[in-house]
Amino acid sequence: MSSWRDTTCGVLSKADVGKKVTLAGWVDTRRDHGGLVFVDLRDFSGKVQLVINPERAPEPASVAHEIRNEFVIQVEGEVVNRAPEAVNPNLPTGEIEVQVETLRIVSRSTPLPFQVGDDVDDVLRLRYRWLDLRSDRMQRNLRLSHVVIAGIRRAMDGMGFVDVWTPSMTKGTPEGARDFLVPIRLQPGTFYALAQSPQLFKQLCMIGGLDRYYQIATCWRDEDLRADRQFEFRQLDLEMSFVDRQDVLDVMEEAVVGAFLAAGREPPPRPFPRMSYADAMAKYGSDKPDLRFGLEIEDATALTRRSEFGVFKNAPAVRYIVAPRAFSRAELGRLEEIAKEWGAKGLAYLVNDGGEIRSPIAKFLSEEELKQVQPEPGNTTLFVADEEATVSRVLGGLRLHLARELELMETGEELFHWIVDFPLFERDEDSGQWTFLHHPFTAPMPGDEGFESDPGSALSQHYDLVWNGWELGSGSIRIHDAELQQAVFRVMGMGEEEQQAKFGFLLDALAMGAPPHGGFAMGIERFVTRMAGEPDLRQIVAFPKIASGSDPLTGGPTPMPDSVLKELGIRALQAQAPDDR
Ligand code: ASP
């Protein structure tokens, strides 16, 4: 080892008793007992207790009074047994301590804004991230992230995938999110976009004969930041030629299993179960259902077609869930508020209070209706009647809310599943125009190639991977035929000229011998966040941004001086920095 240390703090044990060691690290805590000074010394490998005895080591003892938390020190000393009553069974090195002979302050620290590992506000942690990174939590998470990625890379390599680097700066293409733009000084007034994903490049790799491409690719999307979203993130991005859906799903499952094994965890059983998009929406009101609990949505549309209760009779869809609790009036009021936030007009209910039905609508329901929807004692049936999409959204949201509120999720269970058979197109809510559900390069289901006459009913060869209610990623079999690709663009309202301007290069490539191909992309940070049991991406990304889009550490983003902008052919409308160049 170096002159700074010959071993590390966390590895010392009883086996080392009697050894002379040189250690270097951070002062985790210092306890001054008048005479003896105890220091917990920390490095990446863990902590060890140092004892500084003024009688044996007078000079180190006087230096020890000066040291404060997070000073960097170097010590030499002997590993000794702790007295039996001083053994700390909670610390891996708790049976020993190091009797210090020399002590040197290597680096001092100003007073700390918080103690390492303290549960303080996230923004404060991010402002001083270098301190926060020293915590057990961040050390564990960043190392887990590394191990997971290494496991994925091994799996991909083992399956014959080739790591190809694709550009970060690309031509802006519509892929669903807003682009981050990069002005180009050599061509003022023009922009590249930061790649939202390597989608088209990986397809071009297939047309270029690579056969199996993968990359741990950084992607940029200008979207609002949330627990599971950052502006920039990485994905396991892959593409394969001459494959069917099954081949892609197999590869992804293998990569997930590889990551679990690398992290020393029991992998989820294969094959991962599959569910159609239609079933997911109908039964769980979500295309990323959490299957760790029941509360399935039931349908009462047919049953209520001739109902005396007008709200049910006239609604395009009537569906319900049965919650394992007889809710009070106040609780029902709160649930209705929540349902309204998701777009419901109201929330009808039947409460079974020990055999007695409590409900303003029971009197309108026929015996036959009641027989089917009446809850068991101690349960409540909650109904939403509306357009099908609204019903799904509201009951899907209520389902998740109730699971959290009533603690129905079986923790510890790791459920992976595929959602398949998505629609090819959906209506854009604002324009009413048909648009792609995922991206416009997804192939229709075999048999649905004639989608132009009825875009709404065509299914696609798109699939999503879901882990306990988190969408981990998506993929599809792609269109490998220029004509078919143009048909998709036409349905989206794109004329020939616009198609050529935006995607001419893709259409040219598809017309020059494109193999059938398909692929997938899985969010690495989302995956690691779940793996680490953390609530959000910020806990596993070294230097994340906060919800406002700012970086509390560096203070970015910042305005730019006019002279810089001018060179790029840009004029800022707001927040321009003074020109101090
Ligand atoms: N490019 C897609 C995405 O980033 C994934 C894919 O279809 O392979 O979501």
Side-chain angles (χ1 to χ4, degrees):
M1 282 221 187
S2 72
S3 63
W4 291 104
R5 62 184 182 198
D6 57 17
T7 183
T8 58
C9 302
V11 302
L12 296 175
S13 71
K14 257 183 139 26
D16 299 300
V17 167
K19 271 191 201 153
K20 297 266 186 203
V21 292
T22 306
L23 296 169
W26 287 265
V27 172
D28 193 63
T29 52
R30 187 196 63 146
R31 294 177 305 281
D32 206 329
H33 286 200
L36 293 181
V37 179
F38 292 94
V39 169
D40 281 347
L41 187 68
R42 164 176 26 87
D43 63 21
F44 73 94
S45 66
K47 294 176 197 167
V48 69
Q49 177 165 289
L50 311 178
V51 204
I52 304 138
N53 184 337
E55 276 162 28
R56 290 192 196 194
E59 219 190 287
S62 80
V63 179
H65 293 303
E66 257 181 75
I67 61 179
R68 297 286 176 271
N69 285 3
E70 301 311 313
F71 275 30
V72 178
I73 62 171
Q74 185 197 35
V75 296
E76 288 171 316
E78 185 184 335
V79 181
V80 298
N81 279 313
R82 288 199 197 187
E85 66 281 6
V87 165
N88 179 354
N90 301 320
L91 202 65
T93 58
E95 288 183 304
I96 52 108
E97 58 196 7
V98 175
Q99 189 74 248
V100 171
E101 286 155 14
T102 69
L103 187 159
R104 175 173 155 213
I105 294 176
V106 178
S107 269
R108 290 166 190 271
S109 167
T110 51
L112 300 166
F114 56 87
Q115 297 302 318
V116 168
D118 271 8
D119 190 13
V120 293
D121 174 58
D122 262 12
V123 179
L124 188 63
R125 288 173 55 206
L126 294 177
R127 165 72 183 81
Y128 298 97
R129 190 62 149 180
W130 58 87
L131 285 180
D132 189 48
L133 290 181
R134 292 180 202 160
S135 65
D136 285 349
R137 180 185 192 181
M138 288 308 300
Q139 289 279 320
R140 198 170 50 238
N141 289 349
L142 291 182
R143 283 163 208 282
L144 174 67
S145 185
H146 161 77
V147 163
V148 163
I149 291 173
I152 289 175
R153 284 195 183 279
R154 266 196 303 279
M156 299 310 289
D157 191 42
M159 290 184 282
F161 281 77
V162 180
D163 184 344
V164 179
W165 183 42
T166 57
S168 311
M169 292 188 338
T170 91
K171 177 175 164 177
T173 58
E175 272 199 57
R178 231 177 260 118
D179 284 328
F180 281 104
L181 298 180
V182 184
I184 300 304
R185 181 185 49 83
L186 295 178
Q187 297 182 35
T190 65
F191 301 84
Y192 275 116
L194 290 179
Q196 291 190 27
S197 86
Q199 183 61 36
L200 289 178
F201 291 108
K202 66 177 172 176
Q203 290 191 236
L204 295 175
C205 283
M206 295 304 102
I207 301 172
L210 257 301
D211 205 73
R212 288 186 162 207
Y213 144 97
Y214 95 104
Q215 192 179 182
I216 305 289
T218 304
C219 306
W220 293 264
R221 296 184 191 173
D222 185 0
E223 294 178 308
D224 290 340
L225 281 75
R226 293 200 306 234
D228 62 353
R229 248 193 221 156
Q230 282 278 316
F231 286 154
E232 40 191 330
F233 58 92
R234 288 170 301 172
Q235 57 188 28
L236 163 60
D237 195 53
L238 63 91
E239 199 71 13
M240 309 159 70
S241 291
F242 303 107
V243 289
D244 300 319
R245 177 172 81 185
Q246 186 59 46
D247 302 298
V248 183
L249 302 193
D250 281 345
V251 162
M252 272 312 301
E253 292 187 6
E254 187 86 21
V256 167
V257 166
F260 267 76
L261 291 176
R265 301 214 2 211
E266 177 81 19
R270 290 183 63 188
F272 303 164
R274 282 182 211 175
M275 186 184 297
S276 73
Y277 171 83
D279 276 354
M281 293 308 288
K283 283 199 196 136
Y284 304 98
S286 167
D287 61 359
K288 44 179 189 305
D290 192 333
L291 303 181
R292 285 173 297 174
F293 56 96
L295 282 190
E296 284 184 18
I297 299 171
E298 310 277 349
D299 191 71
T301 314
L303 179 74
T304 53
R305 287 310 76 186
R306 287 192 314 247
S307 184
E308 298 272 298
F309 186 43
V311 173
F312 281 4
K313 184 176 149 193
N314 300 321
V318 181
R319 292 186 185 158
Y320 62 95
I321 46 181
V322 181
R325 183 179 164 92
F327 289 116
S328 69
R329 230 170 218 286
E331 287 170 326
L332 288 162
R334 272 201 300 280
L335 289 175
E336 180 161 32
E337 283 309 305
I338 292 169
K340 284 183 175 167
E341 275 166 30
W342 275 307
K345 295 191 193 73
L347 186 67
Y349 59 83
L350 293 170
V351 183
N352 188 331
D353 239 341
E356 198 145 314
I357 296 293
R358 203 164 18 94
S359 165
I361 66 162
K363 58 178 177 283
F364 301 114
L365 300 182
S366 66
E367 217 168 278
E368 193 201 342
E369 285 173 310
L370 274 175
K371 205 170 112 201
Q372 192 170 320
V373 299
Q374 186 164 306
E376 297 285 313
N379 287 262
T380 303
T381 308
L382 297 164
F383 299 91
V384 177
D386 214 308
E387 297 292 337
E388 191 176 338
T390 310
V391 171
S392 273
R393 186 172 64 241
V394 177
L395 286 176
L398 269 183
R399 180 178 173 269
L400 284 179
H401 173 82
L402 290 171
R404 275 193 295 269
E405 198 90 322
L406 306 178
E407 294 178 8
L408 303 177
M409 307 208 188
E410 300 237 344
T411 49
E413 247 189 308
E414 306 302 358
L415 297 181
F416 282 81
H417 59 274
W418 295 105
I419 305 292
V420 298
D421 304 346
F422 281 76
L424 188 57
F425 296 104
E426 65 181 351
R427 289 261 188 214
D428 181 85
E429 279 187 17
D430 300 327
S431 65
Q433 172 73 49
W434 287 113
T435 183
F436 49 85
L437 210 70
H438 185 57
H439 55 56
F441 320 112
T442 301
M445 206 59 113
D448 279 352
E449 291 85 353
F451 52 77
E452 270 186 284
S453 57
D454 182 10
S457 66
L459 291 182
S460 75
Q461 299 196 58
H462 172 84
Y463 30 80
D464 272 1
L465 179 59
V466 178
W467 181 7
N468 291 352
W470 277 42
E471 185 198 312
L472 285 183
S474 305
S476 54
I477 297 299
R478 325 296 184 185
I479 294 170
H480 66 277
D481 174 275
E483 295 278 308
L484 197 61
Q485 186 62 71
Q486 287 199 284
V488 168
F489 292 148
R490 276 197 298 275
V491 171
M492 291 164 54
M494 239 191 255
E496 184 74 31
E497 220 170 285
E498 191 183 348
Q499 293 180 24
Q500 287 302 333
K502 288 188 170 152
F503 297 109
F505 66 99
L506 173 68
L507 294 172
D508 286 350
L510 287 175
M512 295 186 193
H517 59 287
F520 199 82
M522 178 178 84
I524 295 282
E525 285 78 26
R526 283 188 187 182
F527 185 75
V528 177
T529 298
R530 289 239 60 105
M531 199 88 162
E534 289 285 7
D536 62 73
L537 263 50
R538 296 207 293 234
Q539 313 310 329
I540 56 106
V541 173
F543 301 105
K545 314 258 185 299
I546 56 172
S548 62
S550 302
D551 169 9
L553 195 156
T554 61
T558 50
M560 284 293 152
D562 191 38
S563 58
V564 175
L565 297 182
K566 209 164 161 197
E567 211 172 21
L568 299 167
I570 299 175
R571 196 165 40 228
L573 297 179
Q574 295 168 355
Q576 213 157 302
D579 205 339
D580 52 6
R581 290 210 311 172

